[in-house]
Amino acid sequence: MLKSMTGFGRAEVTRGETTIVAEIKSLNGKQFEVNLKLSPLLKPYEFDIRNILQQELQRGTLDATINIKQNGATRPVVINTELARYYYEAISGMARDLAIPQEDMLNVLMKLPEVVSPASEQISENEWNEVAAIVRKAVAEMDAHRVDEGQMLEKDLLLRIDNILLYTEKVRELDPLRKDKVRTRLETLLAEYVGKENVDGNRMEQELIFYLEKLDISEELVRLQNHCRYFKDILGEAESAKGKKLGFVLQEIGREINTTGSKANDAGIQQWVVMMKDELEKAKEQVLNVL
């Protein structure tokens, strides 16, 4: 099973006058990074929330917002007058500049962040447990999105690797013809510059074998096929986080493709090598999104 690093999850619950909302969005990233926005009541639990997110989601760049909203007056509240005054001056200045009526300003100010907050900065253990459950529910929803996107990524990656294997077979078919071309070209050059009657047949055969061994790509093709098969084996593993491992295997595939191209010395083979590189780059782009 393959998982994408991209996903979105949201969970909400209302108990009496209290509403808990958790929203999590994830994009690809090399490590685990989270931009966490919390209600003031949840600040003491920031470390616990970060731990939940990291344990469940493992890797990616996350934006997470977790709020506790008080829908009624079940708790005493504090009005931050200084913050309200700051908001008022900023909004009034903007309204004057844009010639916008300043009606019902008090209602607007009371809805702005942290102007009104609960007098108590603590929540009960039961309330925290409910918050943690909502966070895990949002994580589970996002994880389901990751699985869905991972299935599409897996199909595309398999297509890229299968194409590379197909092109490898095309190169293997051209390899014997390439050796014949090299032999013919060397014999022609020797006959032209040295004279056919002056060529030592045994010596030429030895030199030709040495030259062809330097150009031999059979080992590269075998390793390339093995790396591709290993890549497909990793895709089939039960482990969910395997993006880094797949990236390392693609690096090895790239090395064998580059070596094949540098040793090929044949226009026909070079064309297939270029197509392999194109598929490899597409696979690398997709692997960046894999968990």
Side-chain angles (χ1 to χ4, degrees):
M1 178 180 64
L2 204 63
K3 287 186 180 181
S4 169
M5 275 189 282
T6 303
F8 176 79
R10 187 181 190 279
E12 178 178 339
V13 66
T14 299
R15 295 284 186 270
E17 300 296 333
T18 302
T19 299
I20 305 169
V21 181
E23 291 185 352
I24 309 171
K25 180 176 69 175
S26 175
L27 299 174
N28 63 332
K30 291 184 178 180
Q31 306 298 331
F32 177 80
E33 297 180 14
V34 57
N35 176 28
L36 190 57
K37 299 176 183 177
L38 299 174
S39 294
L41 285 171
L42 293 174
K43 288 294 183 182
Y45 300 95
E46 180 174 351
F47 183 74
D48 300 279
I49 292 171
R50 287 182 181 272
N51 276 344
I52 292 173
L53 296 175
Q54 185 164 17
Q55 289 171 6
E56 300 292 335
L57 301 176
Q58 303 179 44
R59 198 158 72 100
T61 301
L62 273 65
D63 283 314
T65 302
I66 302 159
N67 285 323
I68 296 181
K69 300 177 182 178
Q70 298 296 328
N71 303 321
T74 56
R75 292 187 182 183
V77 297
V78 173
I79 298 177
N80 190 332
T81 308
E82 290 300 319
L83 182 60
R85 182 177 292 111
Y86 171 79
Y87 281 140
Y88 174 77
E89 292 173 355
I91 294 172
S92 296
M94 182 178 65
R96 286 192 300 271
D97 292 341
L98 299 177
I100 299 174
Q102 300 183 45
E103 299 174 358
D104 201 14
M105 183 66 75
L106 180 60
N107 185 42
V108 173
L109 290 174
M110 297 298 283
K111 294 179 180 179
L112 291 173
E114 299 186 22
V115 171
V116 180
S117 59
S120 172
E121 293 299 324
Q122 292 184 343
I123 59 175
S124 68
E125 184 176 351
N126 287 338
E127 287 174 318
W128 158 242
N129 290 334
E130 192 160 32
V131 170
I134 290 300
V135 172
R136 289 192 171 92
K137 186 176 180 181
V139 166
E141 182 178 313
M142 195 183 81
D143 199 50
H145 285 182
R146 281 182 159 189
V147 171
D148 291 340
E149 288 207 20
Q151 291 176 348
M152 292 186 289
L153 285 175
E154 184 170 355
K155 288 179 181 178
D156 189 76
L157 287 169
L158 283 172
L159 174 64
R160 304 304 167 195
I161 296 302
D162 284 340
N163 285 342
I164 291 175
L165 287 170
L166 174 63
Y167 302 153
T168 302
E169 290 302 318
K170 298 295 184 181
V171 170
R172 197 182 294 278
E173 292 172 6
L174 291 176
D175 192 31
L177 302 176
R178 175 184 65 113
K179 293 178 180 178
D180 291 338
K181 289 179 184 178
V182 171
R183 177 187 293 272
T184 302
R185 186 164 64 248
L186 288 176
E187 289 176 347
T188 302
L189 289 172
L190 285 172
E192 181 178 350
Y193 290 102
V194 179
K196 193 172 183 179
E197 65 281 357
N198 297 322
V199 175
D200 184 336
N202 292 331
R203 178 64 184 274
M204 178 187 168
E205 196 65 29
Q206 291 174 359
E207 294 295 333
L208 186 59
I209 291 172
F210 176 74
Y211 185 64
L212 289 175
E213 284 180 349
K214 290 179 64 177
L215 297 178
D216 184 58
I217 57 174
S218 56
E219 290 186 8
E220 284 75 11
L221 295 179
V222 170
R223 286 195 294 267
L224 179 55
Q225 287 181 315
N226 289 338
H227 291 327
C228 288
R229 293 192 182 102
Y230 181 45
F231 187 93
K232 295 172 78 170
D233 289 342
I234 295 173
L235 286 178
E237 291 176 357
E239 179 186 3
S240 59
K242 45 195 171 186
K244 290 183 178 180
K245 189 188 295 186
L246 293 173
F248 294 146
V249 178
L250 286 181
Q251 289 180 13
E252 296 301 318
I253 291 174
R255 288 192 184 97
E256 301 304 333
I257 292 174
N258 288 334
T259 306
T260 299
S262 64
K263 294 173 68 174
N265 197 27
D266 180 85
I269 290 178
Q270 288 288 3
Q271 291 178 0
W272 291 115
V273 167
V274 168
M275 294 179 70
M276 286 185 200
K277 289 182 177 181
D278 182 51
E279 295 295 328
L280 178 65
E281 288 305 311
K282 292 175 181 177
K284 285 181 176 180
E285 290 177 6
Q286 295 288 44
V287 163
L288 290 176
N289 295 316
V290 176
L291 181 63

